[in-house]
Amino acid sequence: MALTTPVRWPLLATTICLLSQMVFATDTKLLALDDECAGPEDCSVDLMQLRGIKSHSTDCPANALVGHWIDKDALGYKTINIELDVKAPMTSDCSKGVKADIIMPSYLGPPVHYDVTLTPLENGKFHVKYYNAQAAIPYYHEGEFDPSTNMLTEDLGHMNGQVNPDGTLEHGKVLYFEKQHPV
């Protein structure tokens, strides 16, 4: 026992030294990144992650969409579940909307990435625009969000404000998403 005790102290001292260097390096990086920030909206992602900041306003209507949504038995087919994962905004600028991913069974295609924006309607509901900038030819679908019922729709039968011209399975189909839980 007497021999192991002196061996533990150098190990403990080395561990403390390494931990203090990591903390110093993190603090130094935080201070360096802090110089890049004029405000929370201008901060780099690294700085926000180091600080643990979620810099989005609770006043943005799109924040109500953040979370996991699902349309069970979608498009009229039993067992086809289409999911929508809406991410929290990285800025407090409500006009930029939120990022979202449509996740469907692999045989229907890969996930689709959307920029989702909301525009208020007169009846307390919101017009929703699902914009896919990553498609070979960028497009958008439209839908509606009703905060009173927590119902979110996406009309796949229309593209870019017109009836979907390709006549596929999507023609005239609407996805009805129900919120499952926050992301």
Side-chain angles (χ1 to χ4, degrees):
M1 266 305 181
L3 292 177
T4 60
T5 303
V7 173
R8 287 186 186 161
W9 285 110
L11 180 60
L12 181 59
T14 303
T15 303
I16 291 171
C17 182
L18 289 173
L19 286 173
S20 66
Q21 288 174 358
M22 287 171 51
V23 169
F24 176 75
T26 300
D27 288 344
T28 303
K29 185 175 182 184
L30 187 59
L31 289 172
L33 289 171
D34 205 22
D35 292 338
E36 298 174 18
C37 272
E41 293 83 13
D42 299 326
C43 293
S44 71
V45 173
D46 288 341
L47 180 57
M48 289 191 289
Q49 288 172 342
L50 284 170
R51 286 184 174 167
I53 291 175
K54 277 192 172 182
S55 63
H56 61 276
S57 167
T58 56
D59 297 334
C60 290
N63 287 344
L65 299 181
V66 174
H68 184 79
W69 299 75
I70 190 165
D71 182 355
K72 294 182 178 176
D73 299 332
L75 306 173
Y77 295 95
K78 292 192 183 290
T79 72
I80 292 182
N81 295 333
I82 297 183
E83 302 172 38
L84 179 70
D85 282 327
V86 181
K87 317 291 189 282
M90 292 298 292
T91 72
S92 60
D93 184 356
C94 291
S95 68
K96 297 196 183 217
V98 291
K99 302 282 185 190
D101 295 319
I102 287 277
I103 303 163
M104 56 197 130
S106 60
Y107 56 84
L108 291 178
V112 176
H113 308 289
Y114 285 133
D115 294 317
V116 181
T117 54
L118 279 79
T119 306
L121 299 172
E122 291 179 14
N123 56 6
K125 297 178 182 180
F126 292 88
H127 172 263
V128 181
K129 186 174 180 180
Y130 302 87
Y131 181 67
N132 182 353
Q134 297 178 2
I137 300 173
Y139 67 90
Y140 67 89
H141 291 295
E142 297 174 278
E144 190 172 89
F145 173 57
D146 185 347
S148 67
T149 62
N150 215 21
M151 182 61 76
L152 178 63
T153 64
E154 179 181 2
D155 182 356
L156 301 177
H158 289 79
M159 185 182 294
N160 299 330
Q162 306 290 322
V163 172
N164 194 346
D166 63 10
T168 64
L169 182 109
E170 300 150 4
H171 185 71
K173 297 294 183 174
V174 176
L175 295 174
Y176 296 93
F177 293 107
E178 294 181 28
K179 195 168 194 177
Q180 301 301 301
H181 55 78
V183 168

